[in-house]
Amino acid sequence: MAILGEQLTPVPVVLVTGDSISAGWGDSAISNGYLIRAFNAANIACHNDGRNTATFTSLSRYSQLPQYLSRYADHIVTHCGINDVNAGHSLNTIKSDMVEYCNTMGCLTNKLWFCTIMTNTTTTDAYATYVNQTVGPHETVRLQVNNWLRDATSTGAVAYLNANTVTKNIAGIIDSTAAIEKTISGAPRIVDANGQQNSGATDGGLWLINGTIDCLHPSSTATVPAATTVDTSKFTLF
């Protein structure tokens, strides 16, 4: 049971929402995913409202609880997108759905954060090697979305969403894939100075060894390093 109230000494509050990865599927039951790991380690108050099979549209239109809770949070961190990608949505569709989501969840008293989309591969050896992994059929769109999210220019996600939403309170991107996505040689995924990544296993797209339990959800082998991609110093009182 959650208790809502005011403390004598105000502290920042983070609402984690999104899909089953944000909910912590694949991680140990006590850890609840890489985002909760990060905020717990920094002693930042947080609540996890991740939802199985969620897309940006379902969160905007059919999930009233996170919309209600968002009014009590200083920061809303959303890990979502793989279900959108696997449903065949294009980059432009996802951009439009994210604008709707921001207009639904954002208010004048919080900041919104988004996370890059983790990979989706098949394997012939239970993720024991890189060479026996194959990227999914929607890998090109996943990379397009991630490249847009990481793009810090005027055409990137933060600038685009702030220009096209009502409250204009998108604070930044958490590049969760930076610590867990590998090339076929086992090296870290390759991006250029503006965070752009080419398609193909030579530049990334593969889970680190034993990094997933089922091709989609990160195991604790992946959530521990993924938690290090969250710069918790930025999550201060609004």
Side-chain angles (χ1 to χ4, degrees):
M1 179 178 68
I3 300 176
L4 297 176
E6 294 186 3
Q7 295 189 187
L8 292 177
T9 302
V11 296
V13 175
V14 175
L15 172 63
V16 172
T17 187
D19 56 25
S20 53
I21 293 177
S22 67
W25 281 41
D27 200 0
S28 61
I30 196 172
S31 298
N32 294 316
Y34 78 98
L35 291 169
I36 298 300
R37 280 182 181 271
F39 294 120
N40 281 346
N43 199 29
I44 294 175
C46 56
H47 173 75
N48 193 339
D49 195 68
R51 292 161 180 258
N52 183 31
T53 72
T55 63
F56 284 111
T57 298
S58 71
L59 291 172
S60 298
R61 302 179 186 179
Y62 312 115
S63 302
Q64 293 182 344
L65 180 59
Q67 295 172 26
Y68 175 77
L69 293 175
S70 69
R71 275 48 183 172
Y72 297 92
D74 298 282
H75 301 270
I76 301 169
V77 181
T78 304
H79 184 112
C80 192
I82 191 60
N83 295 319
D84 305 73
V85 168
N86 286 343
H89 296 178
S90 68
L91 170 62
N92 285 336
T93 296
I94 292 172
K95 289 166 70 172
S96 176
D97 290 345
M98 288 179 68
V99 168
E100 180 182 1
Y101 175 78
C102 290
N103 285 333
T104 301
M105 296 292 287
C107 63
L108 296 176
T109 57
N110 63 29
K111 294 181 179 180
L112 303 183
W113 302 77
F114 293 98
C115 308
T116 50
I117 304 172
M118 294 183 182
T119 192
N120 175 18
T121 70
T122 57
T123 180
T124 58
D125 59 9
Y127 297 95
T129 65
Y130 298 110
V131 70
N132 287 323
Q133 291 186 50
T134 302
V135 297
H138 303 290
E139 176 68 359
T140 297
V141 176
R142 185 188 76 90
L143 289 179
Q144 288 175 346
V145 175
N146 281 352
N147 283 344
W148 175 66
L149 289 171
R150 288 189 294 257
D151 183 355
T153 71
S154 60
T155 60
V158 173
Y160 177 87
L161 293 173
N162 279 325
N164 289 280
T165 55
V166 175
T167 54
K168 306 182 186 303
N169 59 342
I170 292 76
I173 305 300
I174 297 170
D175 190 6
S176 62
T177 62
I180 63 174
E181 190 174 325
K182 303 295 183 180
T183 70
I184 198 166
S185 69
R189 61 102 208 263
I190 301 170
V191 298
D192 65 19
N194 193 37
Q196 304 302 286
Q197 178 179 338
N198 295 322
S199 61
T202 55
D203 274 10
L206 307 179
W207 282 104
L208 79 169
I209 299 302
N210 298 320
T212 179
I213 62 168
D214 58 6
C215 83
L216 285 176
H217 301 97
S219 67
S220 58
T221 300
T223 58
V224 171
T228 66
T229 65
V230 183
D231 183 356
T232 55
S233 68
K234 296 180 179 180
F235 292 83
T236 57
L237 282 170
F238 189 89

